[in-house]
Amino acid sequence: MEILADQLRPQRLADVVGQKHLVAPGKIIFNMVKNHKVFSMILYGKPGIGKTSIAYAIVNELNLKAKFMSAVINNKADFDTAIMEAKMHGELVLIIDEFHRMNKDKQDILLPYIENGTIILIGLTTSNPYHKINPAIRSRCQIFELKELNEEDIKEGLTKAKKHLPNIKITEEALSYISNLASGDLRFALNLLEVCYYSTEDKKITLDLVKTINSKPVFFHDANEDGHYDVLSAFQKSIRGSDVDASLHYLARLIEAGDLDSIYRRLSVIVYEDIGLANPGLGPRLMAAINAAELVGLPEARIPLGEIVIEMALSPKSNSAILAIDEALNDIHKGNTGNVPSHLKTTSPDYIYPHNYPHDYVKQDYLPENIRQHQYYHPKNNNVENNLNKLHKEMRNEK
C-alpha cells in the first residue's frame, strides 16, 4: 500500500508546497519547464522540504524519460545500466538521491554523458554541494538551494493530504501542533498525520491523540550532514554574541541529539578563541564542567553544561589571542622569519638572564632582526588585558 507522502507526490510544479523562489510563475525552474528545456541541476536543502517533489514534477510535466536512483543503494553496475538506457533513448533524466554520498568513481562515470547531454542529472542532497560534490560535476550543473518550509507551508501540505483520507476529522489544535512539531519537514508531518488517522476508529484526530503518538519535535541534526555543523556554528556565534538564551537553545539541541563530544570540542574552542584573555579563568572552569558532565552522563550532564554556557555567554569577550597567533603564523607563511638572534642561541655567552634583574625583566631583543618591529599581540579593552598591559609596562619601567 502506497504511503500518504508518496500519494501526494506533486505531478506539476503548481502542486509543490513552498519553494516559490524556484517554482512560482516567472521563477527559474518554472520558466525552464514552460520553455520545455531542463538542464542538469543539483537541488539541496533539509529533508522533507521538496527536493524529490520538484524533480518528479519536472519530469512529469515535460513527460521526460526518467530513472530514479540512490547513491547509497545503487552500485556501479546499476549506473552503467542507466548509461546504456540513456544511449538507447537518446536522453535520460537521472534523479539521484543522497547525491553527496556518491563516490568519486561513480561521479566520474557520469561526467562525459552529462557533458554531451545524454544524461540530464537531477542530484538531490541534504549537504552543501560546494563541500561534498566533485567540482567537475558541480561545474556542469545549476545549483538550487531549497528554503526551509514554515508552519503555514506545512499546514498547506496537511490540508491537501486530508482529501486523501476519507472521513478524517482533525481539530485546528492538532493541525497546528503537527505543523509545529514537524520543524519544516513536510514528509514527517504527512507520516504523522497518516499514523494518527489509522490509529483511531472514528478518524477523529485530536491534540491528545497526536501527543500520545509523538510529542518530540523533529529537527535536522545529523552528525554527518551540514545541519549538524549549522547548529554548532549557531551555538558558537550565539555565545560569541553574548546571547545567553540563543546559546542555551542550541546547547539544548545538541544535548537532545546526545552529541556531547561535539559540545565539549566546540566549547573548548570558544573559551580560547572568543573569550580568551578577557576571562582566562574560564578555561579551567570549562574543563571542570566537562569532567562533571562526563562523570554523571546524560541527562544530568545538562546541568554543568548549562551553567558553564551561561557563564561563557555572559562573560566579557576578547579575540586578541587568536588574532595574535594567526598574525604570527601569517608571517611564517610569508617567509618572514630570519635568523634567531645570536645571543639567544644555545651556546651563546651573551644571553642576559632576566631573573637576575628587578621585576625579572631586562631589555634585550628576541625577534629576528628583519622583523624586530613586528607586533602580533594587540590588547583589547577589558579589565584583565588592561591590567596585564599595565603590569607589563610597569615591569619595563614604561609610562
Side-chain angles (χ1 to χ4, degrees):
M1 182 180 174
E2 194 175 30
I3 63 170
L4 181 62
D6 286 339
Q7 291 177 44
L8 290 166
R9 187 77 69 194
Q11 300 301 305
R12 304 171 303 135
L13 289 178
D15 298 328
V16 173
V17 173
Q19 313 312 330
K20 303 305 181 191
H21 65 296
L22 296 174
V23 303
K27 301 302 181 181
I28 187 165
I29 292 180
F30 177 91
N31 288 339
M32 281 185 188
V33 172
K34 183 179 179 182
N35 292 321
H36 299 275
K37 182 65 178 177
V38 177
F39 300 91
S40 288
M41 67 182 75
I42 295 169
L43 305 176
Y44 82 99
K46 296 183 178 181
I49 63 174
K51 298 182 295 293
T52 306
S53 294
I54 290 175
Y56 272 110
I58 289 171
V59 297
N60 283 330
E61 278 206 60
L62 295 179
N63 197 27
L64 298 172
K65 177 70 177 176
K67 189 176 184 71
F68 187 90
M69 302 184 76
S70 166
V72 176
I73 297 170
N74 295 106
N75 57 30
K76 183 175 177 292
D78 296 327
F79 285 98
D80 287 334
T81 301
I83 290 167
M84 289 178 60
E85 285 185 41
K87 289 177 178 177
M88 288 172 56
H89 294 284
E91 185 180 84
L92 177 70
V93 177
L94 202 56
I95 302 169
I96 304 178
D97 197 17
E98 301 284 340
F99 190 71
H100 59 283
R101 297 185 187 276
M102 193 170 181
N103 63 38
K104 188 176 182 298
D105 288 344
K106 289 179 185 175
Q107 291 187 31
D108 287 345
I109 291 172
L110 299 177
L111 270 175
Y113 303 101
I114 295 171
E115 183 76 51
N116 64 24
T118 304
I119 285 177
I120 296 172
L121 170 69
I122 302 182
L124 314 177
T125 176
T126 53
S127 242
N128 190 327
Y130 295 100
H131 298 162
K132 299 285 188 178
I133 292 173
N134 182 344
I137 288 278
R138 233 174 32 226
S139 69
R140 291 161 173 81
C141 295
Q142 301 302 309
I143 297 175
F144 300 119
E145 180 179 7
L146 277 68
K147 298 184 183 299
E148 294 185 44
L149 300 178
N150 58 37
E151 193 172 333
E152 290 306 309
D153 292 327
I154 302 295
K155 279 187 178 179
E156 178 189 335
L158 292 174
T159 300
K160 290 180 178 180
K162 286 162 59 177
K163 299 172 186 176
H164 294 257
L165 299 171
N167 302 317
I168 186 173
K169 297 178 285 293
I170 181 169
T171 66
E172 188 60 33
E173 275 186 323
L175 191 67
S176 295
Y177 187 77
I178 294 174
S179 301
N180 182 263
L181 201 65
S183 298
D185 186 335
L186 180 57
R187 183 169 52 237
F188 171 89
L190 294 173
N191 289 341
L192 179 54
L193 179 70
E194 187 172 24
V195 171
C196 291
Y197 175 77
Y198 285 107
S199 299
T200 64
E201 290 185 8
D202 58 4
K203 310 305 180 191
K204 183 177 181 179
I205 300 173
T206 63
L207 179 60
D208 287 341
L209 174 66
V210 179
K211 285 184 175 180
T212 300
I213 294 170
N214 192 323
S215 60
K216 186 175 180 180
V218 62
F219 58 89
F220 183 57
H221 193 111
D222 182 334
N224 296 316
E225 307 294 355
D226 285 347
H228 170 73
Y229 297 105
D230 287 343
V231 172
L232 286 172
S233 174
F235 183 45
Q236 178 164 4
K237 288 169 182 170
S238 298
I239 294 176
R240 179 188 296 152
S242 301
D243 188 324
V244 66
D245 297 308
S247 302
L248 288 168
H249 170 79
Y250 293 113
L251 173 65
R253 288 174 70 158
L254 291 161
I255 288 172
E256 189 68 17
D259 195 4
L260 291 179
D261 286 343
S262 288
I263 295 171
Y264 301 156
R265 286 193 297 269
R266 188 55 62 111
L267 288 177
S268 297
V269 170
I270 296 167
V271 79
Y272 291 103
E273 177 182 347
D274 296 307
I275 294 167
L277 291 170
N279 191 352
L282 257 183
R285 290 205 292 281
L286 170 62
M287 292 311 300
I290 289 173
N291 289 335
E294 277 290 273
L295 180 65
V296 300
L298 287 172
E300 287 81 3
R302 76 191 188 282
I303 304 167
L305 290 175
E307 184 175 315
I308 197 67
V309 164
I310 291 170
E311 190 175 359
M312 289 172 71
L314 297 178
S315 171
K317 310 292 192 299
S318 172
N319 67 341
S320 60
I322 187 175
L323 292 178
I325 185 59
D326 283 353
E327 194 170 335
L329 285 167
N330 192 42
D331 256 0
I332 304 300
H333 298 154
K334 289 178 177 178
N336 293 333
T337 52
N339 296 322
V340 172
S342 59
H343 60 280
L344 298 182
K345 292 181 180 177
T346 309
T347 56
S348 174
D350 300 321
Y351 172 61
I352 306 172
Y353 191 57
H355 295 302
N356 290 337
Y357 293 83
H359 307 296
D360 300 288
Y361 173 79
V362 63
K363 186 172 176 60
Q364 64 184 327
D365 293 322
Y366 291 94
L367 278 169
E369 185 175 0
N370 61 311
I371 57 170
R372 192 154 290 165
Q373 303 307 314
H374 285 211
Q375 181 181 351
Y376 300 124
Y377 172 61
H378 303 277
K380 290 293 183 78
N381 184 20
N382 57 74
N383 289 339
V384 174
E385 288 185 90
N386 287 341
N387 287 332
L388 285 173
N389 203 41
K390 180 182 177 184
L391 289 169
H392 189 51
K393 285 182 177 180
E394 289 174 355
M395 180 180 69
R396 294 181 302 176
N397 294 317
E398 295 180 4
K399 291 184 180 179

